[in-house]
Amino acid sequence: MAFPRPKPTTMETLAMERANPPFNVRKLSIAMHGSEKALVLKEKFMAEIARHPAFKLSDIHDLSKDELRERTMEKFASMVYFVTNESLETFSLRMQLIGIADPSFWTRFGVAYGLFLGALRSGATPNQLSYWIDKGVLGLNGVIGCFAMTELAHGSNVAGLETTATFDRESDTFVIHTPHLGATKWWIGGAASTATHAAVFAQLIVDGKKHGVKTFVTQLRDTKTFQLLSGVTIGDIGKKMGRDGIDNGYIQFTYVRVPRAHMLMKHTQVSRDGVVTEPPLAQLTYGALLGGRTSMVADSSNSAKKALTVAVRYAAVRRQFSSGKNEVETQLLDYPIHQRRLMPLVAQAVAMGFTGLRLQVMYEQMTQALDTMEPNDPNLNDILDKLKETHATSAGLKAFCTWACLDTIDKCRQSCGGHGYSAYSNFPLMYADFAVQCTWEGDNTILSLQAGRSLVGAWGGAIKGKKLAPGVAYLNDSSILTAKSDSSLSLSDIQRAWQCVAANVIKKAAEEYVSHLKAGRSKDQAMEICSQSRFIAAKVHTVGYIFRLFREAVDEMDDSEETKLLKTVARLYGLWQIEEQQGYFLKYGYFTAQQIDKVQDNVDKLCAEVRGVAIPLVDSFALSDHIINSPLGKWDGSVYESYFAQVQAANPAPKEHPYFNRLIKPLLERQNEDMEDPDEAMGLEDELKEMEEERREGK
Amino acid sequence: MAFPRPKPTTMETLAMERANPPFNVRKLSIAMHGSEKALVLKEKFMAEIARHPAFKLSDIHDLSKDELRERTMEKFASMVYFVTNESLETFSLRMQLIGIADPSFWTRFGVAYGLFLGALRSGATPNQLSYWIDKGVLGLNGVIGCFAMTELAHGSNVAGLETTATFDRESDTFVIHTPHLGATKWWIGGAASTATHAAVFAQLIVDGKKHGVKTFVTQLRDTKTFQLLSGVTIGDIGKKMGRDGIDNGYIQFTYVRVPRAHMLMKHTQVSRDGVVTEPPLAQLTYGALLGGRTSMVADSSNSAKKALTVAVRYAAVRRQFSSGKNEVETQLLDYPIHQRRLMPLVAQAVAMGFTGLRLQVMYEQMTQALDTMEPNDPNLNDILDKLKETHATSAGLKAFCTWACLDTIDKCRQSCGGHGYSAYSNFPLMYADFAVQCTWEGDNTILSLQAGRSLVGAWGGAIKGKKLAPGVAYLNDSSILTAKSDSSLSLSDIQRAWQCVAANVIKKAAEEYVSHLKAGRSKDQAMEICSQSRFIAAKVHTVGYIFRLFREAVDEMDDSEETKLLKTVARLYGLWQIEEQQGYFLKYGYFTAQQIDKVQDNVDKLCAEVRGVAIPLVDSFALSDHIINSPLGKWDGSVYESYFAQVQAANPAPKEHPYFNRLIKPLLERQNEDMEDPDEAMGLEDELKEMEEERREGK
């Protein structure tokens, strides 16, 4: 550019922000990633996709839905190599990273590998599983699966699904059928143009009797010609808020027959004679759900970090208003209110990150415990209790972390002012892609209520003197209900604050529940009536849980500058959330009004403190320019140059105006007049003189 | 459809919801629209656009950016007739309605009519104005204007704009120039492909001296050929989060000359000799900003009502989970938590609607007072005080109403579960279109701080005994600081609650400000440091203000069933907001902890009460199926049928799979195997027998 640049340039500003950080950025980054290996692998994956043409991101905002889908399929094909040649651990890290870069792809791939294959793993007998593996489900050579659960009129309520699978004894087949419009399979990722087979959830009917929802592997298309099989009707469900790279479709079955052996029979079996054998125990599906939720907590942290990397870097280079004439304008990040807008969100993203890491470890331990568990294990009840508790807590974590992330993305967008509204800032796509996390795999509100229901149950256990699982063990100590702050606002003071308040709101929900039971309501009715209190219980417990996990992680670290910073960040998270929900802390008397003022004051100061290292801190999130895909957040600070270049590249001037002749010209020429000499026409000189005279006369 | 429908159908359900409402829906609707005339006009406008091909909305989600823009220009052309043939009042109502249907169009049109013409009206001398009117700015026959204020590196800070307008005495022209990349005019609506002229905001420089930012009407394109004039560089800034029907562009000027008379000279003048005459008083721009903010409050209410109409109707017809076997599933709207999700938002939308109506009246009175005001008017100070107060309050209203609406849209989306994520639900577009309201015409956070600054000032006046303007008059009564609830939770109790708490948080902000002043900070510094407290002051004051205006409106109504309902809605709004911000009410002792429990209990009950009439209530919002453009919110309840039909119409099957041969076939055929007989291959029978035996043995 021939244009002169104002001083200091945005690039110089960002370099100054990076000079002499009081901690080692790499060490901090390793801590946030759980291990050096995880960080190094992430950097490797980032480098690989940055150079892979299918993973080009800079032009993604201007692709049509059809172009996006085709490119997503290119990525899909490019991943098959890794899935068959990498360890599960490595491949999971790869997918986690790619999920941040391109959530559309992550889902489209996850439908085949996570959901379809997951359905087989959890529902197929060993022989069935090896049959489908022989067919090619692992390498996609022969079978590409999709997961046909949701129906047009039924989402959350799986037991209420209306697709039927009726056993036909004569031909030893099940007849899969969509009885009416509302039972149409809907939202099925991969159905519209990728899948050959589907794991269809349908009501098993034998001899006119319903046996509940089971899973039936049903072929949709001929694998050679890709033509739909007879009786299978599939359509594209079209444009979505985001994730348009996924080919979600609807499926209607009209008396489609599948061999009996295609019902997954690990749990319920149907014999050749139509005898239905139900499993002796209700299915242990906790584990499977837990895995999904764990990854959503991690994804919430990562997606929030991505948005924050952009917003914080931009706030460092963006200058508005100077404090005096001729002075350099102030960096947005130096305004206390802008620190207030972003620093607590940074702290929250870091807190969710550590929560995700610890949850992952807990999940792996539990999976192992479940895999090796024997029916007569003396610790069986303990393990199951812990599993149930973690399962319930993970429901709350999924809900409040995905909400927190979505909120973070939009707050980051707004903090960039007008430019956040440009598609090229990448905030619009981040928001649109992420938004689905609040409603899928369990609507957040419903999940919160599940978590709240479990907390009400835990409270019931606590008053009966039962030793509770670790996540809710604080309910065992009834003195926590009347705890008071020691005024230190230290990490342990904050943790007690959350436990005190959580115990009180859980108690309130439990007492409401019991009072409705006593008034003669059924358990379900009583639970419904105390929904709002259950919701509050889940909200407060969940924040306290995140804080506790974050604090535990930091407490385990060595005494270093990085740990010191993380303790500051943890205090900011805990105190800011207290401020956000201050009503409960006042209501239950943990803090006095004066102490709450002190909390606000401390949050102000902590925001300023974290702002001092904001750039190295977001650098430690280790997200490449390619991944964040936003000129506003460019690592080197070349914000406006990059933004301008991207806008120009994405919007070349058309050779001809697309509608000037048809629409604009007729308007302009409706009563065309010749240009006149403006000064003369306006009599400007005379008028100005007149006005000047009037002014002198004091009019 | 040949499919059977479950009973009761969604249509029957909605009809039942509408049977025997306890109030007259039409009367309620008239009250919400301010007058019967306004409602009738709205219905007329809705009918007109529903039948106009350019205003087709059902296919809008699948149009490309270029198609959207062309269609938006068609609407633009179709409106010119009305703008020149309708009264301003009627046309304003028309635009308000069309703004709800199509915000993109509203903005594109508003750039030419509201902003460009507004700049002329407020900045041109009478002769200049009539010159431009003769040129055709009213009928667009000759001039289509755009408003070139914002620059790439400067948004909020208008005084910091860097485009220069240097007076060249010799040629009696100004030289308009973009000195560097950051000074590029950016976001200019209409610049990319519509405008012939621009109102350019630039630093006036005469003889090397800067005189601040003035407005220069600059021609951009030849009106015959539409070619850019020499020195004018324009590009398209491309994809945005929403409102893609607007052709926002960037403009760079390279030494472009405009006649001196094209500087708007109502306030500052530059004579033929280059003498700059500054206006004797700072410009009274309050009035202009107030108009924009008033319309944004109304738009927030209307857009929220649009989203809520969809969410509430869908929640009435959507059924999930039955309380017993074979029972009809429960309507979502009958779940207490779902009432909690939607009913308070309904109350808020209604509250904002009445606030908008009253604000409009206040705005018109003020405009009139200003227009007729003489410099020696004895009431001058009163009028100016009232104007300043309303101006500051309107800043807070703009911020908190647009935030509330954006939040409502996304909560409505989430309340519809997965289907809210479909583009055809219309929530994605509503959100994307509305989101810009939080950052344009003043970033919400910045506006909140401005409101807070004014409240700090008002507090200073109050303690000096100054009689304050009506909006902040409650600060004149110092006993409000220590007021206590009478436990009635009546409308007047609620209003006192808000006044008490607002007075306390304003006092806190003011005291912080003063303490920083005393510590030696400058006024600006002191204001910055107490930003968070100023923000809180603005937030609490604004909600209290909305509540008060809503209550006043209801108090003025006759004693009827409609009024009774609105009082219930007002109580729900006030109490729900108290619950949301309960910390302040506890902190300042207006409510005790027990009373706060009672508030929660009352909100539960009010939600259930409003739910009882939820469908007739949203019907009274009077938004046609065409306007809401969402099958989920269809008036007749034909939700799934309409949704399915729209999805099918928008997504016809392609004749050929776009990438099967290139991408999918190679995957499937990497190691192709023949289909085998599944039962045999799997040895299913043997395996099942084995499992059954194991089970019997108790393994």
Side-chain angles (χ1 to χ4, degrees):
Chain A
M1 296 290 297
F3 299 120
R5 289 199 185 95
K7 289 280 169 181
T9 66
T10 54
M11 281 172 275
E12 288 161 351
T13 301
L14 220 45
M16 289 187 288
E17 291 278 343
R18 286 199 178 94
N20 307 316
F23 57 85
N24 183 310
V25 177
R26 180 105 193 139
K27 274 193 189 162
L28 183 66
S29 197
I30 290 167
M32 288 199 197
H33 289 80
S35 70
E36 184 163 15
K37 186 187 163 198
L39 176 59
V40 170
L41 274 175
K42 177 177 169 182
E43 288 167 336
K44 174 175 171 280
F45 303 148
M46 287 197 292
E48 281 170 2
I49 63 167
R51 291 163 192 174
H52 194 299
F55 284 93
K56 185 175 178 189
L57 290 172
S58 61
D59 63 348
I60 206 160
H61 310 293
D62 287 283
L63 295 184
S64 70
K65 177 178 97 276
D66 293 341
E67 287 166 336
L68 270 177
R69 291 197 178 170
E70 183 155 354
R71 190 181 286 179
T72 308
M73 193 65 211
E74 288 172 16
K75 298 178 212 195
F76 198 112
S78 80
M79 276 296 123
V80 172
Y81 170 79
F82 298 109
V83 81
T84 44
N85 287 281
E86 261 175 6
S87 77
L88 187 61
E89 189 199 350
T90 304
F91 189 72
S92 297
L93 282 171
R94 180 186 291 277
M95 283 306 287
Q96 189 183 85
L97 183 270
I98 291 179
I100 316 167
D102 184 355
S104 250
F105 166 68
W106 185 87
T107 308
R108 188 154 172 191
F109 198 78
V111 163
Y113 275 90
L115 294 179
F116 180 76
L117 201 56
L120 290 182
R121 284 210 172 102
S122 66
T125 67
N127 277 357
Q128 285 183 316
L129 186 60
S130 54
Y131 170 79
W132 289 109
I133 288 174
D134 288 350
K135 280 277 172 205
V137 289
L138 289 185
L140 306 180
N141 40 347
V143 174
I144 303 176
C146 68
F147 188 78
M149 186 165 82
T150 314
E151 295 174 0
L152 181 53
H154 281 93
S156 308
N157 181 5
V158 175
L161 293 174
E162 295 175 284
T163 300
T164 52
T166 309
F167 182 58
D168 178 56
R169 191 173 279 105
E170 201 172 322
S171 62
D172 198 23
T173 58
F174 293 104
V175 180
I176 312 287
H177 185 61
T178 305
H180 61 88
L181 178 63
T184 303
K185 292 292 172 187
W186 202 262
W187 283 114
I188 311 307
S193 38
T194 321
T196 59
H197 291 67
V200 178
F201 286 66
Q203 293 284 353
L204 170 63
I205 299 174
V206 180
D207 297 330
K209 197 187 160 205
K210 281 189 181 179
H211 292 269
V213 171
K214 315 294 166 200
T215 315
F216 302 82
V217 181
T218 308
Q219 188 164 353
L220 305 174
R221 292 179 169 95
D222 183 292
T223 56
K224 304 268 189 225
T225 64
F226 223 58
Q227 294 302 304
L228 291 175
L229 297 192
S230 171
V232 177
T233 305
I234 288 184
D236 194 318
I237 67 162
K239 276 288 285 182
K240 302 183 294 288
M241 185 167 181
R243 304 203 186 208
D244 267 329
I246 316 166
D247 55 321
N248 296 84
Y250 66 82
I251 314 177
Q252 292 172 328
F253 298 100
T254 310
Y255 305 107
V256 171
R257 288 177 184 271
V258 300
R260 182 169 53 90
H262 284 200
M263 171 177 149
L264 300 181
M265 295 210 193
K266 188 175 177 178
H267 306 289
T268 301
Q269 291 115 32
V270 178
S271 75
R272 179 66 191 86
D273 304 326
V275 177
V276 180
T277 316
E278 301 281 358
L281 285 165
Q283 241 171 290
L284 274 181
T285 54
Y286 290 141
L289 285 169
L290 203 57
R293 290 174 188 169
T294 301
S295 79
M296 286 168 87
V297 171
D299 192 45
S300 296
S301 169
N302 288 327
S303 302
K305 284 173 178 168
K306 178 174 164 182
L308 284 159
T309 301
V310 179
V312 170
R313 286 189 187 149
Y314 183 66
V317 303
R318 175 84 166 182
R319 295 169 183 274
Q320 292 284 281
F321 300 100
S322 60
S323 38
K325 271 219 165 174
N326 300 321
E327 273 187 44
V328 176
E329 290 179 298
T330 307
Q331 294 167 266
L332 289 194
L333 214 43
D334 283 332
Y335 287 102
I337 199 72
H338 214 81
Q339 295 166 7
R340 273 279 186 173
R341 288 174 88 164
L342 295 177
M343 296 304 112
L345 302 178
V346 168
Q348 179 173 257
V350 174
M352 292 193 295
F354 281 100
T355 303
L357 285 177
R358 293 182 87 76
L359 214 57
Q360 181 67 31
V361 174
M362 284 160 68
Y363 168 63
E364 281 159 13
Q365 286 171 349
M366 272 183 200
T367 310
Q368 209 170 13
L370 281 176
D371 284 352
T372 57
M373 195 172 68
E374 296 286 328
N376 307 326
D377 196 317
N379 297 320
L380 183 67
N381 280 337
D382 271 8
I383 297 176
L384 286 180
D385 266 8
K386 202 173 161 186
L387 180 64
K388 271 168 81 174
E389 181 265 308
T390 316
H391 175 254
T393 298
S394 74
L397 283 170
K398 183 273 187 185
F400 292 100
C401 289
T402 56
W403 270 329
C405 176
L406 191 66
D407 181 61
T408 296
I409 295 169
D410 204 60
K411 286 196 169 132
C412 285
R413 170 187 75 79
Q414 292 189 36
S415 79
C416 293
H419 297 320
Y421 200 67
S422 167
Y424 311 105
S425 76
N426 206 20
F427 290 117
L429 187 60
M430 281 189 239
Y431 189 90
D433 278 350
F434 196 86
V436 73
Q437 304 254 29
C438 300
T439 50
W440 73 5
E441 298 213 19
D443 169 74
N444 279 0
T445 302
I446 306 299
L447 287 181
S448 306
L449 290 188
Q450 285 176 10
R453 178 188 283 259
S454 158
L455 293 168
V456 166
W459 179 259
I463 53 176
K464 283 181 204 130
K466 186 180 167 193
K467 189 173 166 290
L468 299 176
V472 283
Y474 62 94
L475 297 177
N476 278 130
D477 169 17
S478 66
S479 74
I480 196 72
L481 288 166
T482 51
K484 305 268 174 261
S485 169
D486 59 14
S487 248
S488 67
L489 305 185
S490 63
L491 290 175
S492 68
D493 191 22
I494 296 169
Q495 186 164 327
R496 281 179 67 246
W498 283 103
Q499 290 178 343
C500 164
V501 164
N504 275 289
V505 294
I506 292 168
K507 175 170 177 265
K508 180 173 192 290
E511 288 177 352
E512 278 181 30
Y513 170 68
V514 171
S515 77
H516 294 306
L517 279 187
K518 284 188 180 155
R521 305 290 193 150
S522 73
K523 283 186 179 181
D524 279 351
Q525 286 170 338
M527 276 292 173
E528 288 305 334
I529 303 172
C530 70
S531 290
Q532 178 66 9
S533 292
R534 266 197 290 158
F535 184 85
I536 292 167
K539 182 170 74 168
V540 174
H541 169 77
T542 302
V543 174
Y545 191 92
I546 294 171
F547 178 80
R548 182 171 68 80
L549 260 53
F550 185 15
R551 191 190 165 206
E552 279 176 11
V554 177
D555 277 349
E556 285 170 13
M557 292 176 191
D558 58 356
D559 199 21
S560 66
E561 287 301 319
E562 296 76 47
T563 308
K564 207 176 128 192
L565 172 67
L566 287 173
K567 283 184 178 170
T568 303
V569 172
R571 279 193 73 218
L572 175 54
Y573 173 67
L575 290 175
W576 165 64
Q577 273 295 314
I578 287 170
E579 213 186 6
E580 290 282 299
Q581 308 195 30
Q582 56 179 334
Y584 304 117
F585 296 86
L586 288 159
K587 190 174 167 202
Y588 298 112
Y590 190 85
F591 289 120
T592 63
Q594 290 69 35
Q595 286 168 333
I596 285 291
D597 279 343
K598 209 178 137 193
V599 169
Q600 184 186 327
D601 194 48
N602 267 264
V603 173
D604 280 348
K605 292 197 170 88
L606 288 163
C607 283
E609 195 177 335
V610 175
R611 179 271 169 267
V613 294
I615 294 299
L617 179 55
V618 301
D619 285 351
S620 78
F621 296 163
L623 293 165
S624 65
D625 279 351
H626 175 252
I627 294 267
I628 64 172
N629 190 29
S630 173
L632 303 184
K634 280 272 286 185
W635 186 88
D636 67 4
S638 61
V639 167
Y640 297 124
E641 294 81 356
S642 306
Y643 184 22
F644 190 60
Q646 188 171 351
V647 165
Q648 282 193 309
N651 298 282
K655 284 198 179 143
E656 205 175 324
H657 192 296
Y659 49 79
F660 172 68
N661 285 320
R662 184 168 82 86
L663 294 169
I664 299 181
K665 201 172 163 69
L667 272 186
L668 285 170
E669 297 188 349
R670 272 187 311 149
Q671 297 181 0
N672 205 22
E673 291 173 351
D674 285 339
M675 275 287 272
E676 301 163 42
D677 178 66
D679 275 20
E680 207 174 300
M682 295 161 80
L684 186 72
E685 291 313 309
D686 294 344
E687 193 187 9
L688 291 185
K689 276 178 201 153
E690 211 174 290
M691 286 167 78
E692 183 54 25
E693 270 168 37
E694 279 181 12
R695 185 170 296 166
R696 276 198 223 101
E697 289 163 18
K699 278 192 190 167
Chain B
M1 298 291 295
F3 298 121
R5 289 199 186 93
K7 290 277 167 184
T9 66
T10 55
M11 282 171 274
E12 288 162 350
T13 302
L14 220 45
M16 289 187 288
E17 292 279 343
R18 286 199 179 95
N20 307 315
F23 56 85
N24 183 310
V25 178
R26 180 106 192 140
K27 273 192 188 163
L28 184 65
S29 197
I30 290 168
M32 288 200 198
H33 289 81
S35 70
E36 184 163 15
K37 186 187 163 198
L39 176 59
V40 170
L41 274 174
K42 177 176 168 183
E43 288 167 335
K44 173 175 172 283
F45 303 148
M46 287 197 291
E48 279 171 3
I49 62 168
R51 291 162 192 175
H52 194 298
F55 283 94
K56 185 177 178 188
L57 290 172
S58 61
D59 64 348
I60 206 160
H61 310 293
D62 287 283
L63 295 184
S64 71
K65 177 177 98 275
D66 293 342
E67 288 166 336
L68 270 177
R69 290 196 179 171
E70 184 156 353
R71 190 181 287 179
T72 308
M73 193 64 209
E74 287 172 14
K75 298 178 211 195
F76 198 112
S78 80
M79 277 295 124
V80 172
Y81 170 79
F82 298 109
V83 80
T84 44
N85 287 281
E86 260 174 7
S87 76
L88 187 60
E89 189 199 348
T90 303
F91 189 72
S92 298
L93 282 172
R94 181 186 290 277
M95 283 306 287
Q96 189 184 86
L97 183 269
I98 291 178
I100 316 167
D102 184 355
S104 250
F105 165 68
W106 185 86
T107 308
R108 188 154 172 192
F109 197 79
V111 163
Y113 274 91
L115 295 179
F116 181 77
L117 201 56
L120 290 182
R121 285 211 171 101
S122 67
T125 67
N127 278 356
Q128 285 182 316
L129 186 60
S130 54
Y131 170 79
W132 288 109
I133 288 173
D134 288 350
K135 280 276 172 206
V137 289
L138 288 186
L140 306 180
N141 40 347
V143 174
I144 303 176
C146 68
F147 188 77
M149 185 166 81
T150 314
E151 294 174 0
L152 181 55
H154 281 92
S156 308
N157 182 3
V158 175
L161 293 174
E162 296 176 285
T163 300
T164 52
T166 310
F167 182 58
D168 178 56
R169 191 173 279 104
E170 201 172 319
S171 61
D172 198 24
T173 58
F174 293 104
V175 180
I176 312 289
H177 185 60
T178 306
H180 62 88
L181 178 63
T184 302
K185 292 291 173 188
W186 203 263
W187 283 113
I188 312 307
S193 38
T194 321
T196 59
H197 291 67
V200 178
F201 286 66
Q203 292 285 353
L204 170 63
I205 300 175
V206 180
D207 298 330
K209 197 188 158 204
K210 282 189 182 180
H211 292 269
V213 171
K214 314 295 167 199
T215 314
F216 303 82
V217 180
T218 308
Q219 188 165 353
L220 305 174
R221 291 180 169 94
D222 184 292
T223 55
K224 304 267 189 227
T225 64
F226 223 58
Q227 293 302 306
L228 291 174
L229 297 193
S230 171
V232 177
T233 305
I234 288 184
D236 194 318
I237 67 163
K239 275 288 285 182
K240 301 184 293 289
M241 186 167 181
R243 303 202 187 211
D244 267 328
I246 316 165
D247 55 321
N248 295 85
Y250 66 82
I251 313 176
Q252 293 172 327
F253 298 99
T254 310
Y255 305 107
V256 172
R257 287 178 183 272
V258 300
R260 180 169 53 90
H262 285 200
M263 172 176 148
L264 300 182
M265 296 210 194
K266 186 174 178 181
H267 306 289
T268 302
Q269 291 114 33
V270 179
S271 76
R272 179 66 191 86
D273 304 326
V275 176
V276 179
T277 315
E278 301 282 358
L281 284 165
Q283 241 172 286
L284 275 180
T285 55
Y286 291 141
L289 284 170
L290 204 56
R293 289 173 188 172
T294 301
S295 79
M296 286 167 87
V297 171
D299 193 43
S300 297
S301 169
N302 288 326
S303 303
K305 285 172 178 169
K306 179 175 163 181
L308 284 160
T309 301
V310 180
V312 170
R313 286 188 187 151
Y314 184 65
V317 302
R318 175 85 166 180
R319 295 170 183 273
Q320 292 282 280
F321 299 102
S322 61
S323 37
K325 271 219 164 172
N326 301 322
E327 273 188 44
V328 176
E329 290 180 298
T330 307
Q331 293 168 268
L332 289 194
L333 214 44
D334 282 332
Y335 286 102
I337 199 72
H338 214 81
Q339 295 167 6
R340 272 279 185 173
R341 288 174 88 164
L342 295 177
M343 296 304 111
L345 302 178
V346 168
Q348 180 173 256
V350 174
M352 293 193 295
F354 281 102
T355 304
L357 285 176
R358 292 182 88 77
L359 215 58
Q360 180 67 30
V361 173
M362 285 160 69
Y363 168 63
E364 281 161 12
Q365 286 171 349
M366 271 182 201
T367 310
Q368 207 170 14
L370 281 175
D371 284 353
T372 58
M373 195 172 67
E374 296 286 327
N376 308 325
D377 196 316
N379 297 320
L380 183 66
N381 282 337
D382 271 8
I383 296 175
L384 286 180
D385 267 9
K386 200 173 161 187
L387 181 62
K388 272 168 80 173
E389 181 265 309
T390 316
H391 176 254
T393 298
S394 74
L397 284 171
K398 183 271 187 187
F400 292 100
C401 289
T402 57
W403 271 329
C405 176
L406 191 65
D407 181 60
T408 296
I409 295 169
D410 204 60
K411 285 196 168 133
C412 286
R413 170 187 74 79
Q414 292 189 36
S415 79
C416 294
H419 297 320
Y421 200 67
S422 167
Y424 311 104
S425 76
N426 206 20
F427 290 116
L429 186 62
M430 281 189 238
Y431 189 90
D433 278 351
F434 196 85
V436 74
Q437 303 255 30
C438 299
T439 50
W440 73 4
E441 297 212 20
D443 168 75
N444 279 0
T445 302
I446 307 297
L447 288 181
S448 306
L449 290 187
Q450 285 176 10
R453 179 187 282 257
S454 159
L455 293 168
V456 167
W459 179 259
I463 54 176
K464 282 180 204 131
K466 186 180 165 192
K467 188 174 166 292
L468 299 177
V472 282
Y474 62 94
L475 297 177
N476 278 131
D477 169 17
S478 65
S479 74
I480 195 72
L481 288 166
T482 51
K484 305 269 174 262
S485 169
D486 60 14
S487 248
S488 68
L489 306 184
S490 64
L491 290 174
S492 68
D493 190 22
I494 297 169
Q495 185 163 327
R496 280 178 67 244
W498 282 102
Q499 290 177 343
C500 163
V501 164
N504 275 289
V505 294
I506 292 168
K507 175 170 177 265
K508 181 174 192 290
E511 288 177 352
E512 279 180 29
Y513 171 68
V514 171
S515 77
H516 294 306
L517 280 186
K518 283 187 182 156
R521 306 289 194 150
S522 73
K523 283 186 179 181
D524 279 351
Q525 286 169 338
M527 276 291 174
E528 287 305 334
I529 303 173
C530 70
S531 290
Q532 178 66 11
S533 293
R534 266 197 290 157
F535 184 85
I536 292 168
K539 182 170 73 168
V540 174
H541 169 76
T542 303
V543 174
Y545 192 92
I546 294 171
F547 178 80
R548 183 171 66 81
L549 260 52
F550 184 15
R551 190 189 165 207
E552 280 176 11
V554 177
D555 277 349
E556 285 169 14
M557 292 176 191
D558 57 357
D559 199 20
S560 65
E561 287 301 318
E562 296 76 46
T563 307
K564 205 175 129 195
L565 172 66
L566 287 173
K567 282 185 177 170
T568 303
V569 171
R571 279 193 73 219
L572 175 54
Y573 173 67
L575 290 175
W576 165 65
Q577 274 294 314
I578 286 170
E579 212 186 9
E580 290 283 299
Q581 309 196 31
Q582 56 179 334
Y584 304 117
F585 295 86
L586 287 160
K587 190 173 166 202
Y588 297 113
Y590 190 85
F591 289 120
T592 63
Q594 290 69 35
Q595 286 168 333
I596 285 290
D597 280 343
K598 208 178 138 193
V599 169
Q600 184 186 329
D601 194 48
N602 267 265
V603 173
D604 280 347
K605 293 198 171 90
L606 288 163
C607 283
E609 194 177 335
V610 176
R611 179 271 170 267
V613 295
I615 294 300
L617 179 54
V618 301
D619 285 351
S620 79
F621 296 163
L623 294 165
S624 65
D625 279 349
H626 175 253
I627 294 267
I628 64 172
N629 191 28
S630 173
L632 303 185
K634 280 272 285 185
W635 187 88
D636 67 4
S638 61
V639 167
Y640 298 123
E641 294 80 358
S642 306
Y643 184 21
F644 189 60
Q646 189 171 351
V647 165
Q648 282 193 309
N651 299 281
K655 283 200 180 144
E656 206 175 326
H657 193 295
Y659 49 79
F660 172 67
N661 285 320
R662 184 167 83 85
L663 294 170
I664 298 180
K665 202 173 162 72
L667 272 186
L668 284 171
E669 297 188 349
R670 272 186 312 148
Q671 297 181 0
N672 206 22
E673 291 172 351
D674 284 339
M675 275 288 270
E676 301 163 42
D677 177 66
D679 274 21
E680 207 174 299
M682 294 161 81
L684 185 73
E685 291 313 308
D686 294 345
E687 194 187 7
L688 292 185
K689 274 178 202 152
E690 210 173 291
M691 287 168 78
E692 183 54 24
E693 269 167 38
E694 280 181 14
R695 185 170 295 163
R696 276 198 221 100
E697 289 161 19
K699 279 193 190 168

